[in-house]
Amino acid sequence: MPVENALAAILRKRPVTWETILTLRENHQIGNLDIAALVLRHGWHWRKHKPYRITLPDGRPDAARRPD
């Protein structure tokens, strides 16, 4: 899934901000439920309060699992 690869690549470098999520949603025609499914599948952390962002579980770039 292209959006899964894009999100994982960003997470290996930095947290994913809300602005980035909005851009991914527009470019890949996905919704919040799709994003939530990816977060659950990979064990990422989705902060649902300000600042809204997705991070790796322990904050280390090498903790990002590559999509199967």
Side-chain angles (χ1 to χ4, degrees):
M1 173 184 280
V3 69
E4 187 171 12
N5 294 333
L7 197 52
I10 295 167
L11 276 171
R12 283 191 291 275
K13 298 176 187 172
R14 61 176 173 76
V16 175
T17 63
W18 185 245
E19 291 79 18
T20 302
I21 293 169
L22 292 176
T23 300
L24 288 170
R25 286 178 49 199
E26 285 181 25
N27 292 342
H28 296 280
Q29 308 299 314
I30 61 169
N32 286 341
L33 288 178
D34 300 307
I35 300 281
L38 292 174
V39 168
L40 288 171
R41 180 182 302 155
H42 292 280
W44 299 328
H45 181 258
W46 191 345
R47 183 177 166 95
K48 296 176 288 288
H49 305 285
K50 288 186 180 183
Y52 303 103
R53 62 181 168 207
I54 298 172
T55 59
L56 297 175
D58 64 0
R60 294 179 322 162
D62 60 346
R65 292 186 283 182
R66 294 190 184 271
D68 295 331

